[in-house]
Amino acid sequence: MEKKHLRTRLAHTGDVGIAKKIHAGVSVPKVLPIYMTSVFSFDDVPTLDAVYEGNADGYVYTRMTNPGTDAVEEILAAAEDADGALVFSSGMAAIVTSIIANVKSGDHIISSPVLYGGVYDYFKNELPRFGVEVTFVDFEDFEAVKAAVRPETKVFYTETISNPLMEVIDIPAIAEIAHANGCKLIIDNTFATPAVCRPLEHGADIVVYSTTKFIGGHSDLTGGAILSDAENIAQLRRYFTLYGAIMGPFEAWLLARSLRTLDLRMKAHSENALKVAEFLEKHPKVERVYYPGLASSKYKELADKLFVEGRCGGMLSADIAGGEEGASTLIKECPTIKLVPSLAGFSTTISYPAKTSHRAYSPEDMEAAGISMGQLRFSIGIEDADDIIAELAEALDKI
Ligand code: PLP
C-alpha cells in the first residue's frame, strides 16, 4: 500500500491501535490512567447503537461519562455506602444541580442560614429569579423548622458542620421533619467527609461535597460530588449531563488518588485539630474556641452520636484576644501557617472570616451571626501536632 502523507500518519497512529491492545491484553495498568479524550470511537453503527441502548459496555462522550469519572464515582459511593455518585467541575456545580433536579417554579426550600457564602447567594439572590423561594431558619430550633413548612416545600438544606462556628446539625431530627412533610434532605458534608460523618446513614437523602476541600486534600483540584440512592442518582444524571457540569478527566484522576488516603488523612486532621483546640482553649490570649470535639463543646454529645470514631475533622475557630489587632498579629507572626481564603489542604492554614467569607456582612449582621473581628478559622493539617502548637504558641506570645 502506498505510504500515507505526513499529516495523515500523524492523525492516525498511536491511538486506537494502542487502546485496543490495552483492551485485549492480559495485563492492566496498576493505576487507572487518565482518559484524556473528549469522545470515543466505534467500528460500526450497530456497536454505537448497542452502547447507547445500554446493551454493550462502552463510553460515548466525556460530558456524559468517562472511565476516570466512573472510577472516582465508584470509590466515593463505596466510601459512603451509597448506591451511586456523580462528580462535578466544582462544589457549586454539584450543589446547584442537586437543587435544580428537585425544585421547579413555585416550589419552596427551607435552609439553615449558616451556609457557605456562594450557596447563600444562590438561595437568596438567584433562585427567586426562577420562582423558587427559600426560607432561612435556625436548624437547632425544630419548632421553627416545622413552622416554616408549606405545602409547596420540597427540599431541606443544611451543612453537617457550620462555618465558621462549627455547630453540628442533628441530621436524624431534621431528616424526620423533612420526611414527615414529604421533603428531601440535602446535606453539604464538605467539612466532615465520609471519613468523619456519613449523612445517608442518618437519614439524609442527598449528600453534596466540594471535593476541592478535604476529599481532594492537596489544594490542587477543584471539584464537587453528589451521593445518593439509585433513584435520586438517575434523576440527577439527566441535569448533570444537560448542564455540562461533569468533572474533567484530569481532576477525576487527581481525586481518585486523593481518596486512597482520605481515611488516614481525616484521622490525622481530626487528632491534630483536637490537640490544637485543647491548647488554644487554655491559652490566655484566646477568648473562645469553637470545635465540636472539645469536652466543653455543647455539640460534643451530638458529634459522638453522628461522627465516626469520635473524629470531628480539621476545622476549628477561635476568638483571639485584642480583636482585629490580635488576629492580625497572630497571622503576621506565623511563618508557615499561611493566611489562605480556603481550607482543607494537607498543611495548616488560617482564614479570617470577617475579612473574607463574611466580608459583605454589616457589623450588626456579623454580631448576629456570632462572628467577631478577632475570630480566626483554622484548617488544621497533617503536620506533627507539636510543631503546629509550637508555632501558634510563639505567635500568640507576640500579642
Ligand atoms: N460547600 C462548602 C462548605 C464550601 O466551603 C465551599 C467552598 O468553599 C463550597 C461548598 C463550594 O465549593 P467549590 O468552591 O468547590 O465550588
Side-chain angles (χ1 to χ4, degrees):
M1 201 168 66
E2 197 187 329
K3 203 167 174 196
K4 299 257 173 69
H5 293 94
L6 176 61
R7 287 187 203 175
T8 312
R9 276 184 276 143
L10 292 176
H12 286 291
T13 48
D15 50 17
V16 176
I18 306 259
K20 287 194 169 176
K21 184 167 151 187
I22 296 169
H23 196 65
V26 292
S27 59
V28 290
K30 166 79 171 67
V31 173
L32 196 74
I34 307 174
Y35 284 81
M36 212 68 199
T37 183
S38 60
V39 70
F40 294 78
S41 69
F42 300 83
D43 286 337
D44 50 41
V45 178
T47 321
L48 173 86
D49 279 341
V51 171
Y52 261 103
E53 298 300 322
N55 297 326
D57 280 339
Y59 291 90
V60 176
Y61 189 56
T62 288
R63 179 163 53 75
M64 298 170 179
T65 179
N66 172 283
T69 55
D70 256 10
V72 79
E73 286 170 1
E74 204 175 293
I75 308 168
L76 271 168
E80 206 151 331
D81 228 352
D83 288 351
L86 296 168
V87 285
F88 292 79
S89 56
S90 70
M92 282 306 292
I95 292 164
V96 168
T97 305
S98 76
I99 298 296
I100 284 174
N102 284 291
V103 293
K104 59 179 184 339
S105 177
D107 285 345
H108 175 243
I109 294 173
I110 296 176
S111 171
S112 154
V114 195
L115 294 176
Y116 167 63
V119 178
Y120 186 72
D121 186 14
Y122 175 63
F123 281 180
K124 204 170 156 75
N125 304 315
E126 194 63 8
L127 279 178
R129 290 205 305 127
F130 299 93
V132 177
E133 216 186 303
V134 183
T135 302
F136 295 100
V137 195
D138 177 1
F139 270 35
E140 287 184 27
D141 184 345
F142 301 146
E143 292 314 311
V145 174
K146 284 179 198 161
V149 178
R150 302 179 194 168
E152 59 275 19
T153 309
K154 293 285 162 34
V155 167
F156 283 42
Y157 184 95
T158 186
E159 296 174 3
T160 314
I161 303 173
S162 77
N163 175 19
L165 300 183
M166 311 303 155
E167 297 144 330
V168 179
I169 295 295
D170 191 338
I171 301 170
I174 297 294
E176 201 182 312
I177 305 171
H179 297 158
N181 290 284
C183 300
K184 284 183 192 170
L185 173 60
I186 303 179
I187 299 267
D188 180 338
N189 199 39
T190 298
F191 275 25
T193 83
V196 170
C197 182
R198 299 194 264 274
L200 296 176
E201 291 174 3
H202 300 295
D205 299 286
I206 295 173
V207 177
V208 291
Y209 287 106
S210 166
T211 60
T212 314
K213 311 297 187 236
F214 285 114
I215 298 188
H218 294 68
S219 308
D220 58 8
L221 70 92
T222 302
I226 296 181
L227 278 69
S228 193
D229 62 22
E231 197 182 324
N232 282 324
I233 290 293
Q235 184 205 3
L236 286 155
R237 190 178 291 283
R238 170 175 158 69
Y239 300 93
F240 168 75
T241 305
L242 205 58
Y243 288 99
I246 196 169
M247 177 177 281
F250 181 49
E251 284 75 16
W253 185 89
L254 285 172
L255 190 58
R257 174 270 335 240
S258 292
L259 278 159
R260 306 299 179 195
T261 58
L262 178 69
D263 192 60
L264 294 172
R265 287 188 286 108
M266 291 315 294
K267 183 173 190 292
H269 283 296
S270 301
E271 286 170 0
N272 281 357
L274 179 60
K275 286 181 190 163
V276 173
E278 285 170 344
F279 157 75
L280 290 174
E281 197 176 36
K282 289 193 210 96
H283 200 284
K285 296 284 171 59
V286 178
E287 289 168 355
R288 187 165 170 194
V289 181
Y290 307 82
Y291 187 66
L294 281 172
S296 59
S297 167
K298 77 170 194 177
Y299 300 103
K300 172 85 169 83
E301 203 183 315
L302 193 54
D304 283 344
K305 194 172 103 187
L306 299 181
F307 295 173
V308 177
E309 292 171 14
R311 296 175 188 175
C312 286
M315 301 304 300
L316 64 91
S317 293
D319 293 334
I320 309 300
E324 183 168 354
E325 207 183 315
S328 300
T329 304
L330 179 69
I331 290 166
K332 189 160 62 68
E333 296 297 335
C334 282
T336 72
I337 302 174
K338 289 291 164 203
L339 174 64
V340 173
S342 186
L343 57 124
F346 50 81
S347 59
T348 302
T349 55
I350 308 180
S351 116
Y352 196 168
K355 297 279 181 186
T356 57
S357 51
H358 295 75
R359 201 182 174 90
Y361 279 46
S362 66
E364 300 76 45
D365 286 351
M366 281 224 306
E367 201 185 324
I371 297 159
S372 73
M373 289 309 291
Q375 194 172 89
L376 295 179
R377 192 191 69 191
F378 297 85
S379 174
I380 304 299
I382 60 171
E383 306 96 327
D384 193 293
D386 291 346
D387 294 329
I388 305 169
I389 290 170
E391 181 166 334
L392 291 174
E394 223 171 286
L396 282 165
D397 282 348
K398 306 262 171 54
I399 293 172

